[in-house]
Every structure is written in structure tokens, then in C-alpha cells.
């Protein structure tokens, strides 16, 4: 087995970062004594530390894909794990934000449901030897979801209106990108073996 290349290491690093990110994000209201002992003096900044971890994890997504394509380091492991790492990171963040009462659960259900539907579609497509490329709608959706998560974590009172607008745009793009994806790839589901 060949050595793990840099893009794949970055993907694994992104998955590993989910653990400290969630611990930091949920730790303050968890009642964990060890959390207070470690972060007692900087408790008011813990959300910002969590935000920093989320941004670093999100940037690894941007970097690993560029490196893989530029240096021809695309692997089956990367094709499988990269989108999975993204879904795990965003889903973990959104579920934690529901717990913190910063986003309605129904919005998170719509966003996560879209990811399950697209993943199922991709599995069927792969079984039929069809490669489905990411659309611009999907890319816009990802950008707005990441910005939305960052704003919700930061929870800055003066940016509440901006946060609300970004949340609704992210939700709209989630639905639009799903509909676009289903329409463009409807033949995948209609094909018979």
C-alpha cells in the first residue's frame, strides 16, 4: 500500500479537528468540570477558539483539493473521504448549533437531508459508472453554509441581521442546488441494469 499523500493527510486532519471543535463549542454549557478547569480564565473566548478550529478545518478542504488536482494526487481514498469529511464537519457544527439554540432544527434537517439524498444519488451513479460533477449551485451552497456556520458560532449581536440573511440564503441554495442536481441527473435513477 502506498504512503498517504498530503491531500489525504489533510482530509484526515479535517476529520480529527471535528473532536476539539465540538468539545470547544459545546464545552461551556456542558457542565464538564475539566472544561472549566482548562478554559476557566478564557471562557469568554472559547467560541472564538472553536471558530478558529472550524476555519482551519474548512481551509483544509480548499487546500487538499487544489493540491490533489495540481500535483495529480487524486486517489480513490480522497474521492471517498474528502466529501465525507466535509459532511461530517458541517453536520457536526450544525447539530451543535441546534444544541446551543442558534439555528432552528428544521433548517439543519433540510441541510443534512440534502446531503443524504446527494450521497445516495452519487452511489447509484457510481454503480452505473457515471461521474457526477459538482455544480456551481453546490459550490455556492457550500460557501454560504460555511459563512453561516462561522457567523452562528461567533454570535455577534451587531451581525444578527447579516447572520439571519446568510442563513436564509444558505437554506435557499441548499434547496436550489438539490433541485438542480436532481433535474440534471434524473437519468441516473431512471436507468435499468
Amino acid at each position: 500500500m502506498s504512503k498517504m499523500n498530503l491531500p489525504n493527510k489533510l482530509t484526515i486532519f479535517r476529520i480529527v479537528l471535528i473532536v476539539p471543535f465540538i468539545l470547544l463549542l459545546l464545552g461551556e454549557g456542558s457542565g464538564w468540570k475539566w472544561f472549566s478547569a482548562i478554559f476557566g480564565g478564557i471562557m469568554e473566548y472559547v467560541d472564538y477558539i472553536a471558530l478558529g478550529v472550524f476555519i482551519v478545518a474548512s481551509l483544509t478542504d480548499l487546500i487538499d483539493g487544489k493540491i490533489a488536482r495540481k500535483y495529480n494526487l487524486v486517489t480513490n481514498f480522497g474521492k471517498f473521504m474528502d466529501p465525507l469529511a466535509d459532511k461530517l464537519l458541517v453536520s457536526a457544527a450544525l447539530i451543535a448549533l441546534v444544541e446551543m439554540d442558534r439555528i432552528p432544527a428544521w433548517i439543519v434537517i433540510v441541510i443534512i437531508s440534502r446531503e443524504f439524498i446527494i450521497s445516495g444519488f452519487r452511489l447509484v451513479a457510481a454503480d452505473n459508472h457515471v461521474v457526477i460533477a459538482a455544480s456551481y449551485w453546490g459550490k455556492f451552497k457550500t460557501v454560504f453554509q460555511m459563512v453561516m456556520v462561522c457567523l452562528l458560532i461567533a454570535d455577534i449581536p451587531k451581525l444578527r441581521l447579516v447572520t439571519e440573511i446568510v442563513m436564509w440564503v444558505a437554506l435557499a441554495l441548499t434547496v436550489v442546488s438539490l433541485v438542480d442536481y436532481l433535474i440534471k441527473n434524473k437519468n441516473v435513477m431512471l436507468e435499468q441494469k
Side-chain angles (χ1 to χ4, degrees):
M1 186 172 166
S2 62
K3 287 184 180 178
M4 186 74 61
N5 65 32
L6 179 58
N8 292 342
K9 286 178 182 174
L10 288 169
T11 297
I12 291 171
F13 181 60
R14 181 158 71 258
I15 293 170
V16 169
L17 283 179
I18 294 170
V19 175
F21 166 65
I22 293 300
L23 288 175
L24 287 163
L25 200 57
L26 294 179
E28 187 178 355
S30 66
W32 297 327
K33 289 181 182 172
W34 63 267
F35 191 87
S36 298
I38 294 171
F39 296 104
I42 56 166
M43 207 63 126
E44 63 210 78
Y45 304 110
V46 170
D47 279 0
Y48 294 108
I49 297 168
L51 176 59
V53 174
F54 181 81
I55 290 170
V56 168
S58 298
L59 288 175
T60 65
D61 178 34
L62 186 69
I63 295 165
D64 67 4
K66 285 189 186 244
I67 292 171
R69 286 185 294 276
K70 184 174 181 180
Y71 296 102
N72 197 24
L73 296 172
V74 177
T75 63
N76 286 333
F77 177 87
K79 286 183 205 174
F80 173 72
M81 288 304 291
D82 183 58
L84 182 62
D86 301 340
K87 287 171 181 48
L88 288 171
L89 176 64
V90 173
S91 297
L94 291 172
I95 292 166
L97 289 164
V98 168
E99 171 83 10
M100 298 167 76
D101 203 28
R102 294 189 187 172
I103 187 171
W106 72 269
I107 292 178
V108 173
I109 290 167
V110 170
I111 291 170
I112 292 175
S113 296
R114 183 249 186 223
E115 299 308 327
F116 274 105
I117 293 166
I118 298 300
S119 294
F121 236 81
R122 283 211 164 111
L123 282 172
V124 173
D127 193 41
N128 291 316
H129 307 290
V130 175
V131 177
I132 300 176
S135 71
Y136 284 110
W137 288 114
K139 290 175 182 175
F140 292 142
K141 178 265 314 175
T142 301
V143 169
F144 271 88
Q145 282 182 3
M146 295 296 191
V147 172
M148 174 189 72
V149 169
C150 290
L151 288 168
L152 289 167
I153 293 169
D155 195 29
I156 300 168
K158 289 183 180 178
L159 294 178
R160 289 261 161 81
L161 180 61
V162 173
T163 304
E164 191 87 8
I165 291 167
V166 170
M167 184 174 68
W168 287 109
V169 172
L171 179 63
L173 287 171
T174 297
V175 174
V176 168
S177 66
L178 174 62
V179 171
D180 176 65
Y181 195 93
L182 294 177
I183 290 170
K184 284 181 180 171
N185 301 292
K186 63 180 180 288
N187 293 336
V188 169
M189 291 306 255
L190 299 174
E191 283 184 18
Q192 294 184 4
K193 286 264 182 183

